[in-house]
Amino acid sequence: MKNIISIGWNNLLKRHKESVLLFDSIAAASEIALMLNGQWDGCNGVIVAFSDEVAVKTAAKLLKATWCYQGASKAVLGRVTADEILRRYAIGERNFVNANLRCAVLTSVKLSKINLSYASLSWANLSQANLSKADLTAADLTQANLSGADLSKAYLIRANLSEADLQQASLQGANLSSANLSEVNLTGADLTGANLSLADLRGANFHLCNLSQANLTDAKLIESDLAFAQQYPNKY
C-alpha cells in the first residue's frame, strides 16, 4: 500500500512546488511523512516538495487522520489536562500516545511505565517526576523542566530535549539514541549506561555529569565539553 501511495505521490498532478501539511496527530504526521517521502517536523507538520491531494487523502484515510494546508487553517492537537492524565493513570491506563501536554505542570508525579510517545511536552514542568521506564519515543520536550526527574531505563529515542533542564536527573540505562539534546543542561545528571548513540549533544552542559559506560557512538558533540563531566564514558 505504501508503494502505491508513493507512486501516486510522484506521478499524479502536482499542484504546489512545496507545501506544509498539518495533521491532527503527531503519530499520523510521522507515518505519512514516510509514506509520501516528506519531511516530518517532529510535531504534526509534514513538508513536501509537491502536494498531491489524492495521495495525501489516501494516506490520511488509512490512518484515520484529518489534515489541512498550513495557512488555510490549523490542525489542532487535542489537549489533555494534567489532572486527566493523573486520573486515568490512577485507574490503570498507561497509553497516552500523542497527548498534548504543552506547559503542563506535573511536578513530583509518579508516572512510571507511562506511554507518552509522540507527546507534546514542550515547556512542561516535570521536575522530580518518576518517569522510569516511560516510553517517550519522539516526544517533544523542548525547554521542559526535568530537573531531578527519574528517567531511568526510559525510552527517549528521537525525542527532542533541546534546551531542556535535566539537572540532577537520573537517566541510568535510558535509551536516547538519535535524540536532540542540544543546549540541554545535564549538570549533575546520572547517565550511567545510557545509550546516546547518534544523539545531538552540541552545546550540552556536562558539569559533574556521570557518563560512565554511556554509549556515545556517532554522537554529535564538542569533545572539550566532556572535560567538565564527573565520569567519562569508557569509549566514544
Side-chain angles (χ1 to χ4, degrees):
M1 179 59 71
K2 289 185 178 180
N3 289 335
I4 294 172
I5 294 172
S6 181
I7 291 170
W9 180 258
N10 290 315
N11 295 333
L12 294 178
L13 180 63
K14 300 176 180 64
R15 297 187 180 181
H16 305 279
K17 291 183 177 179
E18 184 175 271
S19 298
V20 179
L21 313 177
L22 299 175
F23 295 86
D24 62 347
S25 161
I26 294 175
S30 175
E31 289 295 320
I32 289 172
L34 291 174
M35 290 180 182
L36 304 181
N37 296 319
Q39 181 182 346
W40 179 46
D41 70 355
C43 192
N44 65 320
V46 177
I47 302 168
V48 292
F50 295 96
S51 177
D52 174 7
E53 290 188 6
V54 173
V56 176
K57 288 178 180 178
T58 302
K61 186 177 181 180
L62 282 173
L63 296 172
K64 298 181 180 179
T66 58
W67 69 282
C68 64
Y69 288 108
Q70 186 178 55
S73 57
K74 185 176 182 180
V76 180
L77 300 175
R79 184 164 181 79
V80 184
T81 66
D83 287 343
E84 184 179 354
I85 288 283
L86 297 174
R87 178 185 62 79
R88 290 163 61 182
Y89 184 90
I91 60 176
E93 188 171 348
R94 297 294 181 268
N95 189 7
F96 298 93
V97 176
N98 201 54
N100 183 354
L101 286 159
R102 291 184 68 190
C103 304
V105 178
L106 289 162
T107 56
S108 302
V109 297
K110 295 181 180 179
L111 296 171
S112 179
K113 297 183 181 179
I114 192 170
N115 186 349
L116 286 166
S117 55
Y118 297 96
S120 178
L121 288 153
S122 52
W123 297 286
N125 187 346
L126 292 153
S127 60
Q128 305 297 323
N130 182 349
L131 293 162
S132 58
K133 298 182 181 179
D135 188 347
L136 290 154
T137 300
D140 182 5
L141 288 149
T142 307
Q143 297 186 43
N145 181 357
L146 290 154
S147 59
D150 182 359
L151 288 154
S152 55
K153 297 184 179 180
Y155 296 92
L156 289 147
I157 302 165
R158 302 194 318 277
N160 187 355
L161 289 144
S162 178
E163 299 183 60
D165 185 356
L166 284 159
Q167 295 183 76
Q168 306 297 324
S170 174
L171 289 146
Q172 296 181 41
N175 192 340
L176 292 139
S177 178
S178 300
N180 181 358
L181 291 149
S182 57
E183 306 293 335
V184 72
N185 189 350
L186 291 165
T187 300
D190 188 351
L191 285 123
T192 302
N195 182 2
L196 292 157
S197 60
L198 299 170
D200 187 349
L201 291 157
R202 289 173 292 188
N205 184 347
F206 292 103
H207 187 64
L208 298 179
C209 178
N210 189 341
L211 288 163
S212 60
Q213 300 180 356
N215 180 1
L216 288 167
T217 303
D218 295 326
K220 299 175 183 177
L221 54 85
I222 301 170
E223 292 187 19
S224 59
D225 289 344
L226 296 179
F228 298 99
Q230 185 179 47
Q231 296 289 332
Y232 301 100
N234 294 334
K235 186 177 182 181
Y236 61 89

